[in-house]
């Protein structure tokens, strides 16, 4: 029987909490199958007198309930599947409860669970209610004291805040008491217990306070935490310099766990990380891993101010902490690794995930107004578009006013749970601007389409630029408003040199035009030669821009745009159009040759950085191309993209070989951005060469793989061998597994690589890998490595004509939903976009969604996504 569609939660239904909690004392008696949790809450009425106390709880075995020291009889409270209600409570009182829970049986990895024999927690968003009875909502802030007792198998006992006491109880078991002086919502609670090694360091804050830093990892792994520790210290310094934010406790801890539903979690003073985003050394981690570790360590650390000190009033305000914190971590990464390269990577991710989301059934505003399961709203829209909105805000009011507004926000809201409105009000106040039109960016879903038209009059030197906008309808939002769109632009002459102009009598190289309303027109003067307009520089707004530029203009930009983002963008657009023309049956051979020629020049440009060239050389992905050409035909896209790759490989053979040979790094491995950039370009050159199979390139790839002294190059070699296929690939795969079979993080790469294999029998192999002894669907990292990678990064095989790829994914979703709904729900997206595909494929995708929908006992998480996809 089909699960009933549950009622949604709505923003307009928000009511302040009926009771507040001042103090919480938790006492954990930790045992894997039967942990006892005693909770003592000091409660205070906040709402109507006489209203009963209602607490959240799930899967709890209630042992006792007492009010002000008096145990309640069974009839004095009501326990339901998700709540505990006590009528007739005083206005201020102490509630004591005791429950029993089973962490060992918790495979949903939400609340208190076991990973690698250790106890750990994940409470955001609503996991705390599976630990104890509590008002589980972010606007209830309390001071936590946590005591835990465990056998000697769990020697380290960690929680938030400061360690108050440790020792052994009368029963000889170990205990520890922690106190967190900062009031916090329960989603920031954390507990870890087990055997862990620590890497210790310290940091002196700007005001001279010394903070102990500890990273806890699997025994024997502490050397692999060194890079995360280094990133942490750089993050702490950066937040002081860029935002004036100092760390507040005397201790900051990070714990790495293997079984985790997502990336990491910012629990106060005790961040918990997926080990894949924490552990690194040159042998086992790629440059991309290093880069992600740096950014996620920063992200979780930055949450201490944007999320923890100031938190969200309700979960509809999630972007208040997530969008803002992504904005902050992107700014940090740009400072660490170079602005242009970082921006290109961020925009690639935004387009691949968020633009796709905006085009599908799950399109939602940065601040949604209803949901079934909040876990489904940890999306690219909340995170990545949420960051873009703040970036635009900064562009619109200027860096100085932006910083002032942030200062005001920190000052005004410290210690509170607040809203997006309150955040924006700070910037309106300091800038004196009316930001009400801007606020629509938070409330309106969809990617605006912006059109630029320009008219140059040689006689007068006037360039008239007209910008117009239109946002396509999204589910539930048919009518769209015009949004304020900041468009940064400059001009180039026919040679690609910067072309100066005048605006309102002032000379300029670049300007910010704000498109307001449906249409905005500006006239630049003093334009002395025919201009190439370089618009939306640095991707100054999350929109899709089209223009009346002449075809040759992009080549001018590709060769010399001073804005590196637009230089890269020009290359991507040319490549995209060529691939789509071929996929549509009208290949432009002359254009392809011209593109190869231009690419060769860009690769040989001594002035640009290797990391940038590596990005230039990467053609738009098949998924990007699918998004750009609905209804998409994945097989045609795959073949057309292959054809362009082949042309580049032939045309640029000498250049690519030279890059591959010349960029060899002799010395000691260093994860720094410049070294990583050289490795990226060298591996990209090898991948480009692998578009033309043959004995020579196979030998080159094999040599590359065997000579690799770090994981980046080993994976680069393996990737090229995968693209080339055949016996060389099979034996390299075996060699790799023999070497790394005991390293789970490396084996995840082994699974993911095979999931990306575009060869025709890939699905059979992937399906066979689900039965491999090293595969375990209960470990989210492994599941994602194989199943999510196949569905999202192997479009040619996922979209097999007979629907076998879809069937495979649906089977996995159904199997995983039985024990881990959050992770199962994350696998739905590749099927959800069925409307964007060739109708016969779309119908098969839809049929699989219907099969899932008809299955019994689905989780709310999967129900929400599947039913919305079918609406
Ligand atoms: N707050 C965490 C972070 O962004 C992520 C928590 C994800 N939780 C969830 N239920 N999906 O750093
Ligand atoms: Zn976050």
């Amino acid at each position: 029987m089909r699960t009933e569609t549950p009622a949604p939660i709505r923003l307009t239904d928000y009511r302040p909490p009926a009771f507040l909690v001042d103090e919480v004392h938790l006492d954990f008696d930790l045992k894997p199958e039967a942990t006892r949790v005693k909770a003592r809450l000091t409660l205070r009425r906040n709402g109507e007198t006489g209203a009963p106390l209602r607490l959240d709880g799930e899967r709890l075995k209630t042992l006792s309930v007492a009010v002000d020291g008096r145990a309640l009889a069974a009839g004095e409270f009501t326990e339901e599947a998700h709540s505990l209600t006590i009528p007739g409570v005083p206005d201020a009182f102490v509630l004591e409860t005791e429950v029993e829970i089973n962490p060992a049986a918790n495979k949903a990895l939400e609340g208190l669970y076991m990973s690698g024999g250790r106890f750990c927690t994940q409470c955001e968003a609503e996991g705390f209610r599976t630990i104890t009875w509590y008002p589980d909502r972010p606007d209830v802030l309390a001071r936590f004291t946590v005591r835990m007792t465990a056998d000697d198998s769990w020697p380290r006992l960690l929680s938030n805040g400061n360690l108050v006491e440790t020792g052994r109880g009368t029963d000889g078991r170990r205990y520890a008491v922690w106190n967190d002086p900062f009031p916090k919502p329960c989603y920031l609670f954390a507990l870890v217990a087990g055997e862990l090694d620590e890497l210790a360091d310290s940091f002196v804050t700007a005001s001279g306070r010394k903070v102990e830093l500890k990273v806890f990892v699997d025994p024997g792994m502490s050397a692999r935490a060194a890079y995360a520790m280094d990133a942490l210290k750089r993050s702490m310094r950066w937040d002081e310099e860029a935002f004036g934010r100092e760390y507040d406790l005397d201790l900051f801890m990070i714990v790495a766990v293997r079984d985790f539903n997502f990336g990491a979690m910012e629990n106060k003073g005790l961040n918990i990380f997926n080990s894949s985003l924490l552990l690194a050394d040159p042998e086992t981690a790629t440059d991309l891993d290093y880069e992600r570790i740096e950014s996620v360590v920063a992200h979780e650390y930055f949450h201490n101010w944007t999320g923890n000190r100031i938190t969200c009033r309700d979960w509809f305000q999630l972007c208040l902490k997530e969008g803002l914190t992504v904005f902050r971590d992107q700014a940090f990464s740009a400072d660490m690794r170079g602005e242009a390269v970082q921006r290109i990577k961020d925009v690639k991710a935004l387009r691949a995930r968020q633009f796709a989301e905006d085009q599908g059934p799950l399109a939602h505003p940065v601040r949604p107004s209803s949901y079934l399961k909040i876990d489904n709203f940890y999306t690219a829209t909340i995170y990545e578009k949420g960051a873009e909105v703040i970036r635009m805000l900064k562009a619109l009011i200027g860096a100085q006013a932006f910083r002032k507004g942030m200062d005001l926000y920190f000052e005004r809201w410290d210690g509170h749970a607040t809203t997006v409105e309150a955040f924006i009000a700070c910037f309106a106040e300091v800038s004196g601007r009316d930001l009400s039109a801007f606020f629509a960016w938070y409330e309106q879903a969809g990617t605006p389409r912006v059109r630029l038209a320009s008219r140059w009059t040689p006689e007068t030197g006037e360039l008239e630029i007209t910008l117009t906008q239109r946002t396509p309808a999204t589910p539930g939002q048919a009518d769209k408003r015009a949004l304020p769109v900041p468009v940064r632009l400059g001009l180039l002459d026919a040679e690609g040199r910067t072309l100066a102009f005048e605006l309102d009598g002032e000379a300029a190289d670049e300007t910010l035009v704000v498109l307001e309303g449906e249409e905005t027109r500006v006239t630049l003067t003093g334009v002395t030669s025919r201009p190439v307009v370089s618009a939306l520089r640095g991707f100054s707004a999350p929109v899709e821009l089209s223009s009346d530029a002449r075809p040759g203009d992009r080549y001018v930009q590709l060769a010399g745009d001073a804005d590196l983002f637009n230089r890269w963008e020009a290359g991507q657009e040319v490549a995209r159009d060529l691939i789509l023309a071929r996929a549509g049956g009208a290949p432009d051979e002359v254009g392809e040759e011209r593109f190869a020629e231009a690419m060769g020049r860009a690769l040989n440009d001594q002035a640009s950085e290797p990391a940038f060239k590596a990005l230039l050389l990467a053609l738009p992905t098949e998924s990007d191309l699918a998004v750009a050409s609905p209804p998409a035909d994945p097989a045609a896209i795959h073949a057309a993209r292959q054809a362009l790759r082949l042309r580049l490989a032939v045309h640029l053979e000498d250049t690519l070989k030279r890059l591959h040979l010349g960029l060899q790094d002799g010395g000691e491995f260093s994860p720094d951005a410049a070294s990583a950039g050289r490795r990226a370009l060298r591996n990209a050159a090898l991948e480009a060469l692998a578009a033309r199979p043959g004995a020579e390139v196979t030998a080159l790839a094999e040599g590359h793989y065997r000579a690799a002294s770090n994981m980046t190059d080993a994976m680069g070699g393996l990737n090229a061998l995968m693209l080339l296929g055949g016996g060389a690939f099979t034996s390299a795969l075996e060699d790799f597994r023999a070497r790394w079979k005991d390293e789970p993080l490396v084996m995840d790469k082994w699974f993911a690589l095979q999931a990306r294999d575009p060869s025709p029998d890939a699905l059979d192999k992937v399906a066979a890998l689900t039965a491999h002894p090293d595969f375990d669907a209960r470990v989210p990292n492994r599941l994602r490595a194989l199943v999510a990678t196949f569905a999202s990064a192997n479009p040619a095989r996922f979209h097999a004509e007979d629907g076998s790829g879809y069937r495979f994914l649906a089977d996995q979703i159904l199997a995983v939903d039985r024990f881990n709904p959050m992770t199962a729900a994350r696998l739905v997206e590749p099927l959800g976009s069925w409307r964007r595909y060739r109708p016969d494929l779309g119908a098969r995708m839809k049929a699989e969604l219907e099969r899932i929908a008809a299955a019994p006992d689905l989780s709310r998480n999967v129900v929400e996504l599947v039913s919305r996809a079918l609406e």
Side-chain angles (χ1 to χ4, degrees):
M1 202 190 65
R2 165 98 157 67
T3 324
E4 290 271 303
T5 307
I9 321 273
R10 292 180 203 286
L11 171 58
T12 49
D13 290 341
Y14 174 81
R15 298 289 175 276
F19 289 86
L20 298 176
V21 183
D22 292 318
E23 297 275 342
V24 191
H25 285 257
L26 297 173
D27 189 343
F28 288 85
D29 181 358
L30 294 169
K31 290 186 183 143
E33 264 125 43
T35 287
R36 294 253 174 135
V37 188
K38 287 189 200 154
R40 193 171 86 230
L41 318 184
T42 311
L43 289 149
R44 176 161 52 91
R45 193 180 290 281
N46 184 50
E48 245 173 88
T49 323
L53 171 71
R54 195 189 159 284
L55 299 174
D56 302 300
E58 277 172 34
R59 297 189 288 280
L60 303 173
K61 188 165 137 200
T62 307
L63 304 175
S64 66
V65 180
V67 169
D68 284 333
R70 188 181 71 82
L72 300 191
E76 293 183 274
F77 61 91
T78 315
E79 188 180 342
E80 280 165 306
H82 301 279
S83 68
L84 180 83
T85 309
I86 313 178
V89 291
D91 288 348
F93 62 103
V94 173
L95 175 79
E96 286 164 286
T97 60
E98 183 170 5
V99 300
E100 189 180 294
I101 54 179
N102 183 348
N106 179 355
K107 299 298 171 197
L109 315 185
E110 191 190 13
L112 180 66
Y113 64 95
M114 310 291 298
S115 174
R118 282 171 221 126
F119 291 90
C120 62
T121 55
Q122 171 54 38
C123 293
E124 186 178 4
E126 296 180 335
F128 192 72
R129 62 185 64 187
T130 67
I131 295 177
T132 191
W133 293 110
Y134 201 79
D136 188 358
R137 44 189 291 166
D139 56 353
V140 172
L141 278 67
R143 269 181 301 273
F144 279 65
T145 302
V146 178
R147 183 190 168 93
M148 63 191 107
T149 307
D151 294 350
D152 282 353
S153 318
W154 296 280
R156 292 237 197 230
L157 303 173
L158 311 174
S159 190
N160 318 83
N162 302 313
L163 182 59
V164 179
E165 198 189 325
T166 54
R168 288 193 185 265
T170 46
D171 59 356
R173 294 166 81 218
R174 227 185 262 268
Y175 73 87
V177 180
W178 291 81
N179 172 263
D180 180 0
F182 293 95
K184 64 167 177 288
C186 63
Y187 82 84
L188 292 172
F189 162 80
L191 173 156
V192 173
E195 201 175 333
L196 294 158
D197 271 5
E198 83 171 39
L199 180 71
D201 205 329
S202 66
F203 178 84
V204 179
T205 69
S207 69
R209 254 179 345 95
K210 188 172 169 192
V211 180
E212 301 299 332
L213 309 176
K214 294 183 177 185
V215 181
F216 295 95
V217 296
D218 280 1
M221 293 288 168
S222 58
R224 286 196 199 168
Y227 186 74
M229 180 67 90
D230 176 61
L232 173 62
K233 289 189 285 181
R234 285 184 282 124
S235 308
M236 294 177 88
R237 189 63 72 216
W238 187 89
D239 210 16
E240 294 180 342
E241 287 165 0
F243 285 92
R245 296 297 110 196
E246 256 189 65
Y247 185 61
D248 46 13
L249 290 160
D250 299 330
L251 173 63
F252 186 82
M253 300 176 283
I254 302 179
V255 183
V257 302
R258 166 136 174 83
D259 306 288
F260 207 65
N261 278 338
F262 26 81
M265 180 63 211
E266 70 264 24
N267 318 297
K268 183 75 186 193
L270 180 58
N271 288 182
I272 297 182
F273 271 61
N274 186 322
S275 52
S276 68
L277 289 164
L278 197 89
L279 301 175
D281 65 15
E283 273 78 60
T284 58
T286 62
D287 289 320
L288 184 61
D289 293 324
Y290 278 96
E291 193 176 313
R292 288 203 186 120
I293 289 168
E294 179 176 73
S295 97
V296 178
V297 165
H299 179 97
E300 305 309 334
Y301 173 73
F302 296 158
H303 267 314
N304 191 54
W305 275 97
T306 48
N308 302 4
R309 291 287 289 249
I310 305 180
T311 191
C312 304
R313 188 194 71 174
D314 54 73
W315 291 119
F316 294 102
Q317 320 295 329
L318 186 56
C319 69
L320 179 70
K321 72 178 180 81
E322 296 304 346
L324 178 54
T325 305
V326 171
F327 170 80
R328 278 151 52 68
D329 82 53
Q330 290 180 347
F332 167 77
S333 294
D335 280 355
M336 298 296 126
R337 289 171 181 264
E339 192 157 341
V341 165
Q342 182 63 33
R343 187 64 186 146
I344 291 167
K345 290 180 181 175
D346 290 340
V347 174
K348 278 177 78 157
L350 177 81
R351 285 179 168 152
R353 300 181 42 230
Q354 202 278 325
F355 279 27
E357 194 162 84
D358 256 349
Q359 283 197 15
L362 299 172
H364 58 275
V366 172
R367 190 178 67 181
S369 53
S370 85
Y371 61 76
L372 283 191
K373 264 313 253 188
I374 186 58
D375 304 303
N376 287 334
F377 281 84
Y378 286 74
T379 60
T381 299
I382 307 284
Y383 278 68
E384 269 76 31
K385 187 173 176 186
E388 292 298 318
V389 172
I390 294 175
R391 210 167 180 277
M392 287 189 287
L393 174 67
K394 182 176 173 184
L396 289 169
I397 67 174
Q400 268 194 353
F402 179 73
R403 175 63 199 272
K404 269 201 201 150
M406 286 299 301
D407 289 348
L408 176 60
Y409 174 66
F410 290 127
E411 189 193 307
R412 179 175 292 169
W413 293 106
D414 186 14
H416 295 274
T418 191
T419 61
V420 179
E421 278 87 350
F423 173 74
I424 294 297
C426 294
F427 298 94
E429 216 168 296
V430 299
S431 67
R433 299 254 205 134
D434 177 0
L435 295 175
S436 49
F438 181 78
F439 201 77
W441 277 106
Y442 284 100
E443 297 183 306
Q444 185 165 291
T447 309
R449 310 271 186 273
V450 172
R451 171 105 195 135
L452 181 147
S454 60
R455 209 182 58 201
W456 178 59
T457 315
E459 297 74 30
T460 58
E462 280 182 350
L463 175 68
E464 187 187 76
I465 292 180
T466 308
L467 290 163
T468 50
Q469 65 174 304
R470 184 186 63 84
T471 302
T474 54
Q477 260 189 355
D479 300 318
K480 302 288 184 180
R481 282 171 281 175
L483 300 166
V485 182
V487 178
R488 200 147 68 76
L489 58 84
L491 306 178
L492 313 181
D493 70 13
E495 262 62 60
R497 288 176 301 232
T498 298
L499 183 62
F501 55 87
E502 281 166 24
L503 183 62
D504 304 327
E506 303 262 341
D509 281 346
E510 193 174 270
T511 187
L512 184 79
V513 178
V514 183
L515 165 56
E516 274 163 313
E518 311 274 306
E519 181 180 306
T520 292
R521 197 167 288 185
V522 289
T523 303
L524 310 183
T525 53
V527 182
T528 51
S529 66
R530 175 181 284 284
V532 169
V533 181
S534 167
L536 206 66
R537 284 186 156 177
F539 204 62
S540 55
V543 301
E544 266 175 36
L545 176 73
S546 63
S547 83
D548 59 356
R550 291 160 307 163
D553 289 0
R554 285 166 172 164
Y555 285 97
V556 175
Q557 289 187 271
L558 175 56
D561 200 319
D563 183 74
L564 288 180
F565 178 85
N566 273 4
R567 197 186 292 187
W568 169 80
E569 178 89 322
Q572 294 289 300
E573 284 179 358
V574 174
R576 179 196 64 201
D577 290 356
L578 290 169
I579 295 168
L580 293 181
R582 191 178 268 277
D588 172 4
E589 312 247 354
V590 176
E592 289 178 4
E593 274 303 305
R594 184 177 179 192
F595 175 64
E597 196 64 44
M599 180 66 82
R601 276 192 301 273
L603 291 176
N604 286 307
D605 177 358
Q606 296 308 313
S608 69
E609 284 174 35
F612 176 74
K613 291 183 192 172
L615 290 167
L616 264 189
L617 185 52
L619 297 180
T621 66
E622 288 170 37
S623 315
D624 295 344
L625 294 160
V627 170
S629 59
D633 182 345
I637 288 172
H638 178 72
R641 187 173 181 276
Q642 285 307 105
L644 187 59
R645 292 188 63 232
L646 178 60
R647 190 178 294 273
L648 291 180
V650 173
H651 195 107
L652 300 175
E653 186 177 358
D654 294 342
T655 297
L656 294 170
K657 280 185 177 164
R658 191 151 31 72
L659 286 172
H660 184 261
L661 191 70
L663 287 160
Q664 236 157 325
D665 243 343
E668 185 81 342
F669 177 91
S670 160
D672 70 88
S675 310
R678 284 192 297 276
R679 283 187 289 272
L681 182 54
R682 181 161 187 259
N683 283 303
L686 179 64
E687 178 174 314
L689 285 165
R692 181 161 60 150
E696 197 193 343
V697 65
T698 299
L700 191 69
E702 266 187 312
H704 185 106
Y705 172 72
R706 300 216 188 284
S709 61
N710 58 70
M711 185 52 71
T712 304
D713 290 334
M715 287 309 292
L718 207 54
N719 174 63
L721 289 167
M722 180 264 281
L723 295 171
L724 294 161
F729 176 45
T730 316
S731 59
L733 265 183
E734 273 163 27
D735 172 83
F736 191 90
R737 185 177 115 80
R739 171 138 187 226
W740 298 112
K741 59 182 182 324
D742 299 323
E743 293 281 356
L745 294 176
V746 183
M747 285 304 288
D748 289 338
K749 300 182 194 304
W750 185 80
F751 277 97
L753 183 90
Q754 296 177 76
R756 287 197 289 108
D757 184 349
S759 61
D761 57 349
L763 175 59
D764 293 340
K765 291 191 195 153
V766 168
L769 282 172
T770 60
H772 192 279
D774 294 335
F775 183 79
D776 182 354
R778 287 175 193 271
V779 180
N781 284 359
R782 189 59 47 90
L783 180 76
R784 280 189 290 256
L786 188 66
V787 178
T789 306
F790 174 72
S792 63
N794 196 349
R797 297 307 151 214
F798 174 62
H799 294 280
E801 302 281 329
D802 62 357
S804 50
Y806 311 145
R807 208 171 317 124
F808 169 76
L809 181 63
D811 287 342
Q812 295 295 321
I813 293 169
L814 287 168
V816 174
D817 194 43
R818 305 203 155 269
F819 56 87
N820 189 341
M822 236 191 269
T823 292
R826 287 183 171 235
L827 298 173
V828 174
E829 195 278 327
L831 287 171
S833 52
W834 61 275
R835 283 190 181 84
R836 281 202 273 113
Y837 286 88
R838 232 178 52 199
D840 57 323
L841 294 174
R844 291 183 193 278
M845 295 168 85
K846 183 168 176 248
E848 292 303 326
L849 287 166
E850 284 163 345
R851 181 162 72 90
I852 297 173
D857 302 326
L858 286 181
S859 68
R860 261 169 97 92
N861 304 59
V862 168
V863 167
E864 177 170 35
L865 298 185
V866 168
S867 54
R868 288 181 55 171
L870 289 171
E871 258 166 32

